[in-house]
Amino acid sequence: MTIDKVDTKNKIQDVAERLIVQGGYGAFSFRDIAEEVGIKSASVHYHYPTKGDLAAAVMVRYTEVFSRRLPDPNDETLNPNTMLNGFIDGFKAKIVDHHNMSLCTMLTADKHRLPEAVSTALADFYQVKLEWLTQVFMRFEPSLEDQAKIQSIQFLAALHGASVLVQATDNAEFFEKAMSCWRKAHI
Amino acid sequence: MTIDKVDTKNKIQDVAERLIVQGGYGAFSFRDIAEEVGIKSASVHYHYPTKGDLAAAVMVRYTEVFSRRLPDPNDETLNPNTMLNGFIDGFKAKIVDHHNMSLCTMLTADKHRLPEAVSTALADFYQVKLEWLTQVFMRFEPSLEDQAKIQSIQFLAALHGASVLVQATDNAEFFEKAMSCWRKAHI
DNA sequence: TTTCACCTACCAAGTGATAGATAGATTATT
DNA sequence: AATAATCTATCTATCACTTGGTAGGTGAAA
């Protein structure tokens, strides 16, 4: 695979990701993407035969990039509270501050009309997040895995719910208020 | 306004509401609605000139019906914990158990392409919920309105976030786990 | 006779997807 | 080294279909 091809594929995914974030699965079209990338829509089909292929690729890449950025939850030099705060801050900076909802929330809303490859990639992404959070919460009570799992669910629900509230009401203050119970003193 | 007209308008709203819940703002078309109601798409336009008019009407009706069903938060014969549990149960029965997300979450995801009337109606709906919840939380500590407001935000975020998690992963257990910290003993 | 609630018949724009052509690069064969 | 075959990434052109919306007609009710 040539550099050019990788480049074009990445550009296509970049635009697709942005359009999905802005309007969901229904709001990105091969023509819109083609125009922004500077090719024709048939060429987008060359790289990603169907809409589902492209959306699934975007979701998979998103998960990979996301995973790579997460610190090792068992790194003893890192305070678990610092990691949780970082997780919240990252979400806020990337999503809430841009007056958007996350790629995964957008695709979740479109679940009913998602090709299977996309909803599988979507479920995988949530699994990655929950597993990481569980590891972090276990740092507080290493013996209580079940409790850590429940905490990770509550934490993630709060985060996503907070972004819904902010987006629906245009009131950014709701974010910190919703997350305040999870923000604890750290180093 | 004749009974017939009211009837048709209601039927149109019923179908529109269901289609929005299933696929968001982009997933309901005048033709689909017309077919289910048993009229032609031009006739749907007769009742609701534009798509935005119809969606706004659906959102307003939804808020009205919802408000009417809420018990008086200051009714001394009702335990506030019972009311909170009822709120959670109602959400679960209407939305989560049907493998759907709520009308408001779906429209929130489409916020960027919503006509203004719709997003106004949407924000109003969240306001209604937050105000009711605040009243209920104040029953515990009548003097701490600010704390009650924050609790209502956290509660609502948890509820909406929980439904996102369930929908994305197809794992219904996440709902009760996410809400467990809000379910308290009552009568 | 006017209003109501519906109709038929459109329109322009946009959708995902396909067929087939082409210029240039790569690879295989002589 | 020269030629032939193949592959790559793009193009043009088009298909069948859906979308929100409109113009103008029709029969029944007020």
Side-chain angles (χ1 to χ4, degrees):
Chain A
M1 205 154 51
T2 66
I3 297 280
D4 271 9
K5 181 165 183 178
V6 173
D7 237 50
T8 304
K9 286 181 95 110
N10 270 326
K11 271 194 225 162
I12 291 171
Q13 289 198 42
D14 289 343
V15 177
E17 182 175 323
R18 217 196 57 240
L19 294 179
I20 294 173
V21 165
Q22 282 169 4
Y25 188 73
F28 80 101
S29 78
F30 282 79
R31 281 171 183 74
D32 290 343
I33 292 170
E35 198 175 342
E36 271 199 65
V37 173
I39 55 179
K40 297 293 168 180
S41 77
S43 306
V44 181
H45 279 284
Y46 168 77
H47 293 283
Y48 300 98
T50 69
K51 200 176 179 177
D53 292 329
L54 174 49
V58 167
M59 194 64 236
V60 167
R61 186 186 70 163
Y62 191 79
T63 305
E64 282 168 5
V65 171
F66 187 86
S67 304
R68 217 174 298 135
R69 286 195 184 178
L70 289 176
D72 174 6
N74 295 308
D75 181 341
E76 297 287 346
T77 70
L78 289 175
N79 181 321
N81 273 326
T82 306
M83 288 195 269
L84 293 178
N85 273 302
F87 197 91
I88 298 173
D89 291 337
F91 190 88
K92 183 168 186 291
K94 174 151 191 192
I95 295 156
V96 184
D97 289 349
H98 287 79
H99 297 277
N100 279 138
M101 298 183 70
S102 67
L103 179 69
C104 50
T105 309
M106 295 304 293
L107 287 178
T108 301
D110 287 322
K111 186 97 195 297
H112 290 299
R113 28 172 197 160
L114 248 36
E116 206 186 307
V118 185
S119 51
T120 302
L122 183 62
D124 286 350
F125 180 63
Y126 280 94
Q127 208 50 50
V128 165
K129 291 202 277 194
L130 286 171
E131 276 165 19
W132 184 85
L133 287 167
T134 300
Q135 295 292 312
V136 174
F137 280 114
M138 281 176 73
R139 288 280 299 279
F140 297 113
E141 299 275 1
S143 63
L144 300 180
E145 184 171 0
D146 287 353
Q147 184 189 294
K149 275 186 184 167
I150 290 179
Q151 284 177 310
S152 72
I153 292 164
Q154 293 174 345
F155 182 94
L156 205 54
L159 204 56
H160 282 79
S163 80
V164 173
L165 254 63
V166 170
Q167 181 83 343
T169 61
D170 269 322
N171 186 343
E173 287 176 20
F174 286 165
F175 186 79
E176 282 304 327
K177 283 177 179 163
M179 296 311 293
S180 58
C181 51
W182 295 101
R183 300 211 94 133
K184 284 159 197 157
H186 55 116
I187 299 181
Chain B
M1 207 155 48
T2 68
I3 296 281
D4 272 9
K5 181 165 183 177
V6 172
D7 238 49
T8 303
K9 285 181 93 110
N10 270 326
K11 271 194 223 163
I12 291 172
Q13 289 198 40
D14 289 343
V15 177
E17 183 175 322
R18 218 196 56 242
L19 294 179
I20 294 173
V21 165
Q22 282 167 6
Y25 187 74
F28 81 101
S29 78
F30 282 80
R31 279 170 185 74
D32 290 343
I33 292 170
E35 198 174 341
E36 271 199 66
V37 172
I39 56 178
K40 298 292 168 182
S41 77
S43 306
V44 180
H45 279 286
Y46 168 75
H47 292 283
Y48 300 98
T50 70
K51 199 174 182 181
D53 291 330
L54 174 48
V58 167
M59 194 63 237
V60 167
R61 187 186 70 161
Y62 192 79
T63 305
E64 282 169 5
V65 171
F66 187 86
S67 303
R68 217 175 298 133
R69 286 194 184 178
L70 289 176
D72 174 6
N74 294 310
D75 181 341
E76 297 287 343
T77 71
L78 289 174
N79 181 320
N81 273 326
T82 306
M83 288 194 272
L84 292 179
N85 272 300
F87 197 91
I88 298 173
D89 291 337
F91 191 88
K92 183 167 186 291
K94 172 150 193 191
I95 294 157
V96 184
D97 290 349
H98 287 79
H99 297 276
N100 279 139
M101 298 182 70
S102 67
L103 178 71
C104 48
T105 309
M106 295 304 294
L107 288 179
T108 302
D110 287 322
K111 185 97 196 293
H112 289 301
R113 27 174 196 160
L114 250 34
E116 205 185 310
V118 186
S119 52
T120 302
L122 183 62
D124 286 351
F125 180 62
Y126 279 93
Q127 208 49 51
V128 166
K129 293 202 277 196
L130 286 171
E131 277 166 16
W132 184 85
L133 286 167
T134 301
Q135 295 292 311
V136 175
F137 280 114
M138 282 178 72
R139 289 280 298 279
F140 298 113
E141 299 276 1
S143 63
L144 300 179
E145 183 171 1
D146 286 353
Q147 183 189 295
K149 275 186 184 166
I150 289 179
Q151 283 177 310
S152 72
I153 292 164
Q154 293 175 344
F155 182 95
L156 204 54
L159 204 58
H160 282 80
S163 80
V164 173
L165 255 63
V166 170
Q167 179 84 345
T169 62
D170 269 321
N171 187 342
E173 287 177 21
F174 286 165
F175 186 79
E176 282 304 328
K177 283 176 179 162
M179 297 310 294
S180 58
C181 52
W182 294 102
R183 301 210 93 130
K184 283 161 198 155
H186 55 117
I187 298 182

